[in-house]
Amino acid sequence: MKNKQSYFQNYVSVDCVVLGYDEVENRLQALLIKQKNPHKQNVDSFKSQYALPGDLIKEDESLDDAAIRVLNELTHIKGLYLQQFFTFGHPERVADPKDAEWLKGYRKDPNARVITIAYLALVRIDHINPQAGSFAENTIWRSIKKIPKLAFDHNVILNKALEIIKEHPEHHIMGRELLPPKFTLSQLQNLYEAMSNVQLDKRNFRKSIKTADYLIPLDEKQTGVLHKPAQFFSFKKAKK
Amino acid sequence: MKNKQSYFQNYVSVDCVVLGYDEVENRLQALLIKQKNPHKQNVDSFKSQYALPGDLIKEDESLDDAAIRVLNELTHIKGLYLQQFFTFGHPERVADPKDAEWLKGYRKDPNARVITIAYLALVRIDHINPQAGSFAENTIWRSIKKIPKLAFDHNVILNKALEIIKEHPEHHIMGRELLPPKFTLSQLQNLYEAMSNVQLDKRNFRKSIKTADYLIPLDEKQTGVLHKPAQFFSFKKAKK
DNA sequence: AATAGTAATTGTACAAATTACAATAAGTAT
DNA sequence: ATACTTATTGTAATTTGTACAATTACTATT
């Protein structure tokens, strides 16, 4: 076996950035899990951290399938459109002392490097109902403007995801069901603003999205509102 | 170790899409390696294939460092700006029978799944001088319009890279030294056209790149050409 | 019935960018 | 002086982007 390479093997994980759009508050929230204490008795030294839902992949599943499975195991969420956006593989990315105890509790090789493929999903926050599972003690939504210190390099991962949607909100809106099937132009504008973190002029926003051509105006109005009722619109179906 | 996960480990590689801009022919070429026969005696059954330069990563190097090292080992190229663009991890991506023999020759676990992080670099083709090394029998440049059948899923990887530069040629031109330090506007236009595969109008191209603001006009002209000599330009240094 | 409150809807003037299109200029070679 | 080659430049029409405020349609209150 002289000419055969004896490179080592790696732990590979997926991490999911799930961003929930909260229409009422007009903000994006990130779905986080709280790490479960791995010790049977309470061990005071264990400090639970918040983290992105993520775990090691299995042998016979694709990366996309792994992301779906892992998210489901930790949060019982199903049916999201998860899209790979970057891979993080720094040798020290899980070597911070703050993460050592959790790793000791849950991993055979707590000191091993882990390479992670990060996934992104966007969803209406009232459309899913996360329920903690596996090593998630519980799940929480946190506004993207108030993200706490997370386990591992998960703050870096989350920030990269936020940069990506900020650059091209329109790519991440179409076909993602971030709004009800029938929505007003103000709802759509609010969504754009939450994703890009930029305020837009009403008139100019309406002009521009009407020249782009994804909307179908409906013969329906709001009812029971304390002001002029807005017209409803829906998205055209993507072609493909 | 009851509550500890016993997930398997993975082979992880990097693959490099190196695109060389050939100014004379005005085309992009991809750098490929020809796989070396792993057998000491010639074995007729071994069919060498072309492949992207790529190999397994090592334990203590970052993914970016691995890409640099692997490219160097296989082609002796140094100093390229390699950028991660996608990770390919389908369980069957190295399971095609056409690849079995090479894997048997070079890998301890020829049947093992390999997850690969793909990198992209753009370079002037006359700026580097690839020299085969390691398991590369030799290296060749092939026009991106005439790519042969490659090993593994490397055609898919290469196509994904081409899509990416096509979408935003301008992102991949600045600071990449794809032109000589002093170049004419026709040279720059040719480069854009080769990257986007679209023909542009001279007057409009010049107008648009002058409103964008990366060029410094120089007090220098071509000499010895059979026509009106063109003015030279250079790129402004990126800020950062 | 009149009024107040609220958010929806719409237009215009200006600037900037995009598109389509062809004549002239500055070299070299004969 | 002429022919050849590529570089360079302008203009009109159109589209897109930007800044800015009055009117409309509904509900609730008086």
Side-chain angles (χ1 to χ4, degrees):
Chain A
M1 254 213 214
K2 219 169 185 189
N3 65 343
K4 300 202 185 183
Q5 299 175 343
S6 55
Y7 288 101
F8 82 119
Q9 293 179 274
N10 306 266
Y11 290 98
V12 174
S13 66
V14 290
D15 282 305
C16 302
V17 177
V18 177
L19 298 175
Y21 177 53
D22 175 351
E23 208 189 304
V24 179
E25 301 285 337
N26 191 30
R27 61 183 179 183
L28 286 176
Q29 303 206 74
L31 179 61
L32 303 176
I33 62 168
K34 188 168 187 189
Q35 295 175 335
K36 192 182 275 186
N37 190 329
H39 306 289
K40 281 166 190 169
Q41 298 87 6
N42 269 7
V43 171
D44 285 346
S45 68
F46 179 76
K47 288 192 183 165
S48 178
Q49 298 183 84
Y50 290 107
L52 297 174
D55 199 5
L56 301 177
I57 68 170
K58 290 186 171 175
E59 188 160 8
D60 56 353
E61 65 189 355
S62 70
L63 301 174
D64 292 357
D65 290 344
I68 291 166
R69 173 186 60 79
V70 165
L71 184 62
N72 181 255
E73 287 177 359
L74 288 165
T75 69
H76 294 98
I77 295 176
K78 279 190 181 177
L80 290 197
Y81 174 51
L82 285 156
Q83 197 175 18
Q84 181 198 132
F85 69 91
F86 202 75
T87 296
F88 298 83
H90 193 278
E92 305 293 316
R93 62 173 286 280
V94 300
D96 192 304
K98 78 186 192 312
D99 299 307
E101 196 159 356
W102 185 90
L103 287 164
K104 264 188 276 177
Y106 285 104
R107 297 281 167 81
K108 269 166 78 179
D109 298 338
N111 298 315
R113 171 186 188 176
V114 180
I115 291 166
T116 199
I117 296 101
Y119 278 78
L120 173 62
L122 285 154
V123 69
R124 280 168 66 187
I125 204 166
D126 58 1
H127 221 252
I128 60 174
N129 181 24
Q131 303 281 344
S134 181
F135 57 79
E137 173 82 32
N138 56 42
T139 68
I140 61 161
W141 291 105
R142 272 297 185 86
S143 162
I144 58 171
K145 305 204 170 172
K146 295 177 189 171
I147 299 294
K149 173 83 178 142
L150 303 178
F152 311 115
D153 57 353
H154 287 187
N155 290 96
V156 175
I157 296 176
L158 178 52
N159 286 334
K160 182 114 184 171
L162 294 177
E163 273 174 35
I164 287 171
I165 60 163
K166 199 168 174 173
E167 274 173 30
H168 294 290
E170 68 282 4
H171 290 191
H172 296 274
I173 286 177
M174 283 298 297
R176 301 295 165 88
E177 301 184 13
L178 295 179
L179 293 173
K182 300 171 182 178
F183 51 85
T184 69
L185 296 182
S186 293
Q187 287 178 295
L188 183 59
Q189 182 174 351
N190 284 337
L191 173 56
Y192 266 88
E193 290 176 344
M195 290 177 70
S196 65
N197 202 23
V198 168
Q199 296 297 107
L200 304 170
D201 177 82
K202 277 188 184 187
R203 285 161 290 192
N204 295 337
F205 176 76
R206 283 159 191 248
K207 233 183 302 178
S208 66
I209 56 146
K210 282 178 177 170
T211 58
D213 171 60
Y214 6 106
L215 294 184
I216 304 171
L218 303 177
D219 282 333
E220 230 177 310
K221 289 177 181 180
Q222 287 179 315
T223 54
V225 290
L226 293 185
H227 52 79
K228 179 171 178 177
Q231 188 183 4
F232 284 120
F233 290 79
S234 67
F235 285 119
K236 285 190 182 169
K237 297 291 167 200
K239 298 168 198 176
K240 262 198 199 172
Chain B
M1 257 213 214
K2 221 171 183 187
N3 65 343
K4 299 202 185 183
Q5 299 176 341
S6 55
Y7 289 99
F8 81 119
Q9 292 178 274
N10 305 265
Y11 289 98
V12 174
S13 66
V14 289
D15 282 305
C16 301
V17 177
V18 177
L19 298 175
Y21 177 54
D22 174 352
E23 208 189 305
V24 179
E25 302 283 337
N26 192 30
R27 61 184 179 183
L28 286 176
Q29 304 206 73
L31 179 61
L32 304 175
I33 62 168
K34 188 169 188 191
Q35 294 174 333
K36 191 182 276 184
N37 191 330
H39 305 289
K40 279 165 193 172
Q41 298 87 5
N42 269 7
V43 171
D44 285 347
S45 69
F46 179 76
K47 287 190 183 165
S48 178
Q49 298 182 84
Y50 290 107
L52 296 174
D55 200 3
L56 301 177
I57 68 169
K58 292 188 172 174
E59 189 160 6
D60 56 354
E61 65 190 353
S62 70
L63 301 175
D64 292 358
D65 288 345
I68 292 166
R69 173 186 58 80
V70 165
L71 183 62
N72 181 254
E73 288 177 1
L74 288 164
T75 69
H76 294 97
I77 295 175
K78 280 190 179 177
L80 290 198
Y81 175 51
L82 283 156
Q83 197 175 19
Q84 181 198 133
F85 68 92
F86 204 75
T87 295
F88 298 82
H90 194 279
E92 306 293 316
R93 61 172 288 277
V94 301
D96 192 306
K98 76 186 196 310
D99 299 308
E101 195 159 358
W102 185 88
L103 286 164
K104 264 189 278 179
Y106 285 104
R107 296 281 168 83
K108 268 166 80 179
D109 298 339
N111 299 314
R113 172 187 189 176
V114 179
I115 291 165
T116 198
I117 295 100
Y119 278 79
L120 172 63
L122 285 152
V123 68
R124 280 167 66 184
I125 203 165
D126 58 1
H127 220 252
I128 60 173
N129 180 24
Q131 304 281 345
S134 182
F135 57 79
E137 173 81 33
N138 57 42
T139 68
I140 61 161
W141 290 105
R142 273 295 186 89
S143 163
I144 58 171
K145 305 205 170 173
K146 295 178 188 169
I147 299 294
K149 172 84 178 141
L150 303 178
F152 312 115
D153 58 352
H154 286 187
N155 291 94
V156 175
I157 296 175
L158 178 51
N159 286 334
K160 181 115 186 170
L162 294 177
E163 272 173 38
I164 287 171
I165 60 162
K166 199 169 175 171
E167 273 171 32
H168 293 291
E170 69 282 5
H171 291 189
H172 297 274
I173 287 177
M174 283 297 300
R176 300 295 165 87
E177 300 186 14
L178 295 179
L179 292 173
K182 298 171 183 180
F183 52 86
T184 70
L185 295 181
S186 295
Q187 287 177 294
L188 183 59
Q189 182 173 353
N190 286 337
L191 173 57
Y192 265 87
E193 290 177 343
M195 290 178 70
S196 64
N197 201 25
V198 168
Q199 296 297 107
L200 304 169
D201 177 84
K202 277 188 184 188
R203 284 162 289 191
N204 294 339
F205 175 77
R206 281 158 191 249
K207 234 183 300 178
S208 66
I209 56 146
K210 282 178 178 170
T211 58
D213 170 59
Y214 3 107
L215 295 184
I216 303 169
L218 304 177
D219 283 332
E220 229 177 309
K221 289 177 181 184
Q222 286 178 315
T223 53
V225 289
L226 295 185
H227 54 78
K228 178 172 177 178
Q231 187 183 6
F232 285 119
F233 289 79
S234 66
F235 284 119
K236 285 190 184 171
K237 296 294 169 198
K239 298 166 199 179
K240 260 197 204 174

